[in-house]
């Protein structure tokens, strides 16, 4: 029962949810404005180690670590009980666990062309070899593809035709956060499942007050899988008596994530761990809670218990100087202690924006988006020389390797399909000080290894002509200033998608109409009207145990107006001469009247997002002033990240910037 209910409310009174119809329907577009959103963070267990186990067919109970020269960069879960961590070197690891498999990463080798290989003597060949992460990137791609396929299955299966037409174009947003982790915005998929399971909440033009609280869902609705790790499930608390829509959302999210993890295991034999929560920050913290091979659900009702156990310096953006300053100002590192300070007390020591941001973050607020477009801004391939190198011949051998390394990554990034291409190539070179030279990559040429190598040699000649080229202690090649090719142009893609969707909607509509023998005498342009009316009049299934007393109603065409986009789209169907129109004061668009609610929701969500983004930008600016710039040049193959140490967020975390 919600706290708003009078103490002696009749047992027959409909219990109200904490959530509104509008919040529920905002799930469809994965809006950050709804507290019902569900985000998953999936992280592969001991990733490089698993890649080697899969490649070599090594059983899961065999201890294995991946080494780079003498350092360990990944340790599998069978080796961890022996006390083996990334902090040990190869010799100490062997002492602690004599049977451990120590597999060296693949390398490129000076003078052996641009192909990487696994070599038995790599660990003592630091002078001639350069690490290649290509095998791990390739596995990462396969895993991502499998995850996407499984998510696609959720968008096409388990639904009837009506749901299919109501939710066409819906898909989960997937952001690759690092080589072994992704964020998934499950909200749109969950919306689909909710419409399927609870016909009473399907879009209904007669819902007058979209901001009124929903009825509570049926008490039988939430069934947790015994494998799910639920944060803060207090044994005393019989919460299943009082589920709300967010619990149902989380449970559907857990079902989807379990199936994604299962698909990765069954198809590729990798285990991964996941965190499921209402935002990125909480899901990322959650995925690390029960490794390996487990998923952790942080339900809204458990957020405070969950975060209370953390040091706030473990939360992204608070690992650096800002966290240090807050620790000093408030005399604690614990979230639970900081929660006792009011917003005004925080404001007394921090500027307004930081105080507001901090106040929200320690209460589990984070409205950052899952952004499928997060992409590399540049790619770098580098090598340090001990001793330094002294000739153009030596340098060129490495340039060939760098060109091959970068080209492989460009292919992965879609250069062959002309999705993205870099416009600039830069050679960095260090004798005493670092210097760099750059030239444009000619737009007319197809980018391949040879082109990159030739451009790199041109740059090298310029460096040598500048004088002071030798002895060279460090050489690297990078490409940057990416531009989107036609295949990746968002606007165009959006437009095409819309066109496609429009087409399939037209098709599905005409199929429905062709099936509808009762309407055969009606001229085609009138049939639409009739068709929509038929949908609006759709009654709830008789005796449906999940019925919560709403008039059930659906409409057909919203997939077109809901295409994810930054602009409200005019519907491709429903021409003005057929349907009554509504003119939006805010964007001056004319849309069919039956889409008004949804269109208003769109503005509502956008307003909140704009507001959030502004707050987040302010917080980020504040943090940048306090935190040294992130070390973006760290290659993921290099060591030096002492586990989950403070101050140096890992790759995935760096991407979590509030934008
Ligand atoms: P992580 O996800 O941090 O760690 P992990 O997958 O090895 O183990 P866990 O089960 O705890 O998630 O890193 C992913 C891969 O990135 C890791 O397998 C190897 C590489 N890596 C490095 O090369 N150097 C490093 O310092 C770290 C932390 C990771
Ligand atoms: Ca991992
Ligand atoms: Ca990771």
């Amino acid at each position: 029962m919600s706290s708003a209910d009078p103490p002696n409310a009749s047992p027959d009174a409909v219990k109200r949810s904490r959530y509104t119809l509008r919040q529920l329907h905002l799930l469809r577009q994965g809006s950050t404005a709804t507290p019902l959103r569900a985000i998953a963070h999936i992280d592969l267990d001991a990733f490089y180690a698993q890649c080697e186990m899969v490649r070599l067919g090594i059983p899961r109970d065999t201890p294995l670590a991946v080494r780079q020269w003498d350092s360990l960069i990944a340790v599998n879960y069978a080796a961890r009980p022996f006390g083996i961590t990334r902090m040990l070197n190869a010799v100490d690891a062997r002492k602690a666990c004599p049977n451990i498999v120590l597999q060296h990463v693949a390398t490129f080798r000076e003078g052996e062309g641009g192909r990487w290989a696994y070599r038995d003597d790599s660990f003592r060949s630091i002078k001639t070899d350069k690490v290649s992460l290509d095998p791990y990137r390739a596995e990462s791609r396969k895993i991502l593809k499998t995850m996407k396929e499984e998510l696609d299955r959720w968008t096409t299966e388990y639904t009837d035709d009506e749901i299919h037409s109501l939710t066409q174009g819906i898909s989960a947003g997937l952001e690759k956060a690092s080589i072994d982790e992704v964020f998934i915005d499950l909200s749109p998929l969950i919306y689909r499942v909710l419409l399927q399971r609870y016909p009473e909440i399907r879009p209904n033009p007669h819902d007058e007050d979209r901001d009124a609280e929903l009825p509570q869902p049926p008490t039988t609705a939430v069934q947790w899988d015994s494998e799910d790790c639920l944060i803060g499930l207090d044994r005393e608390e019989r919460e299943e008596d009082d589920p709300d829509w967010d619990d149902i959302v989380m449970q559907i999210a857990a079902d989807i994530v379990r199936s994604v993890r299962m698909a990765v295991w069954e198809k590729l034999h990798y285990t991964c761990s996941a965190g499921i929560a209402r935002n990125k920050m909480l899901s990322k913290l959650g995925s690390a809670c029960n490794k390996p091979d487990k998923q952790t659900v942080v339900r809204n009702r458990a957020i405070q218990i969950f975060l209370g156990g953390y040091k706030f310096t473990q939360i992204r953006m608070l690992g650096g100087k800002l966290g240090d300053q807050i620790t000093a100002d408030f005399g604690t590192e614990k979230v639970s202690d900081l929660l006792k300070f009011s917003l005004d007390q925080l404001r007394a020591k921090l500027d307004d924006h930081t105080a507001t941001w901090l106040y929200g973050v320690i209460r589990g607020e984070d409205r950052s988006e899952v952004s499928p477009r997060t992409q590399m801004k540049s790619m770098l391939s580098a090598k340090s020389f001990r001793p330094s190198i002294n000739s153009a011949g030596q340098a060129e051998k490495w340039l060939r390797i760098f060109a091959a390394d970068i080209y492989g990554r460009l292919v992965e990034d879609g250069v062959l399909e002309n999705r993205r291409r870099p416009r600039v190539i830069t050679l960095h070179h260090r004798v005493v000080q670092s210097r760099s030279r750059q030239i444009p990559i000619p737009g007319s040429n197809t980018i391949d290894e040879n082109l990159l190598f030739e451009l790199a040699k041109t740059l090298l000649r310029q460096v040598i002509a500048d004088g002071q080229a030798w002895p060279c202690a460090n050489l690297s090649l990078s490409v940057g200033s990416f531009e989107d090719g036609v295949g990746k142009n968002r606007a165009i893609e959006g437009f095409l998608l819309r066109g496609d969707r429009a087409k399939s909607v037209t098709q599905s509509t005409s199929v429905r109409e062709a099936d509808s023998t009762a309407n055969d005498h009606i001229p085609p342009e009138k049939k639409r009207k009739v068709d929509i009316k038929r949908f609006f009049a759709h009654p709830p299934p008789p005796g449906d145990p999940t019925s919560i007393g709403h008039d059930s109603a659906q409409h057909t065409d919203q997939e077109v107006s809901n295409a994810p986009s930054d602009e409200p789209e005019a519907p491709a169907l429903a021409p003005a001469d057929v349907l009554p129109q509504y003119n939006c004061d805010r964007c001056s668009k004319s849309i069919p009247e039956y889409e008004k609610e949804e269109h208003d929701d769109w503005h509502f969500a956008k307003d909140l997002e704009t507001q959030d983004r502004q707050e987040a930008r302010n917080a980020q600016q504040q943090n940048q002033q306090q935190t040294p710039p992130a070390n973006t040049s760290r290659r993921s193959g290099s060591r030096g990240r002492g586990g989950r140490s403070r101050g140096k967020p890992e790759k995935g975390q760096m991407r979590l910037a509030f934008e």
Side-chain angles (χ1 to χ4, degrees), residues 358-577:
L358 180 67
Y359 187 84
V361 130
I362 58 175
R363 286 166 176 77
E365 281 170 25
D366 166 22
R367 292 232 182 121
S368 50
E369 286 179 8
V370 171
S371 152
R373 300 183 73 216
T374 304
Q375 283 166 331
M376 299 272 177
K377 292 206 172 85
S378 64
M379 288 176 194
L380 176 99
S381 186
K383 176 80 186 171
S384 296
F385 306 111
R386 310 271 183 282
S388 299
I389 57 168
N390 286 299
S391 72
Q394 276 177 303
E396 278 180 18
K397 281 185 192 158
W398 288 103
L399 292 183
R400 181 164 279 294
I401 288 174
F402 297 162
D405 184 16
I406 289 176
Y407 179 65
R409 287 149 67 184
L410 285 172
V411 169
E412 176 190 331
D413 199 47
V415 79
L416 293 180
E417 300 89 41
N418 200 22
R419 287 206 305 267
R420 288 178 91 217
R421 68 180 270 147
R423 284 178 302 171
V424 175
I425 182 165
T426 309
L427 185 72
H428 314 258
H429 165 273
R430 182 154 62 82
V431 176
V432 181
Q433 282 182 324
S434 287
R435 285 185 297 153
S436 60
R437 276 197 153 265
Q438 66 178 47
I439 44 176
I441 299 173
S444 51
N445 293 54
T446 305
I447 294 185
D448 60 18
E449 248 172 272
N450 268 335
L451 175 72
L452 296 176
F453 181 48
E454 290 304 323
L455 293 170
K457 279 197 296 188
T458 306
L459 287 166
L460 181 66
R461 278 196 293 276
Q462 292 179 3
V463 166
I464 294 171
D466 288 346
Q468 274 209 331
W470 318 113
C472 170
N474 188 294
L475 196 63
S476 62
L477 190 67
S478 68
V479 294
S481 297
F482 281 84
E483 67 183 356
D484 284 347
V486 175
K488 192 79 178 187
N489 182 310
R490 192 135 202 242
I492 292 176
E493 191 182 56
F495 176 76
L496 291 175
L497 265 178
R498 209 179 128 200
D500 279 353
R501 275 186 208 139
K503 237 185 278 163
S504 59
V505 173
T506 313
Q507 278 156 8
S508 70
T509 307
S510 48
V511 169
R512 262 199 313 271
E513 286 172 355
D515 287 349
S516 169
T517 43
N519 290 338
D520 276 351
H521 60 284
I522 302 170
E525 72 278 12
K526 296 272 175 335
K527 275 187 191 168
R528 278 206 59 72
K529 245 188 193 167
V530 174
D531 206 22
I532 287 163
K533 281 208 188 108
R534 181 171 66 81
F535 264 81
F536 282 175
H538 191 83
D544 181 347
T546 59
S547 171
I548 50 175
H550 264 221
D551 283 340
S552 178
Q554 309 150 15
H555 65 80
T556 52
D557 297 323
Q558 50 174 344
E559 56 273 32
V560 179
S561 63
N562 275 294
S565 146
D566 288 342
E567 286 256 335
E569 296 189 22
L573 286 176
D577 58 345

Side-chain angles (χ1 to χ4, degrees), residues 281 304 307 315 318 326 330 335 338-347 350-366 619:
M281 170 187 73
Q304 226 46 92
L307 273 182
I315 297 177
L318 288 170
I326 296 168
F330 296 92
V335 170
L338 211 54
L339 283 169
K340 295 176 194 144
F341 291 92
S342 69
L343 183 55
D344 282 341
Q345 286 172 311
L346 296 185
R347 280 204 186 116
L350 302 165
D351 74 74
D352 273 9
H353 291 309
T354 309
T356 312
W357 173 78
L358 180 67
Y359 187 84
V361 130
I362 58 175
R363 286 166 176 77
E365 281 170 25
D366 166 22

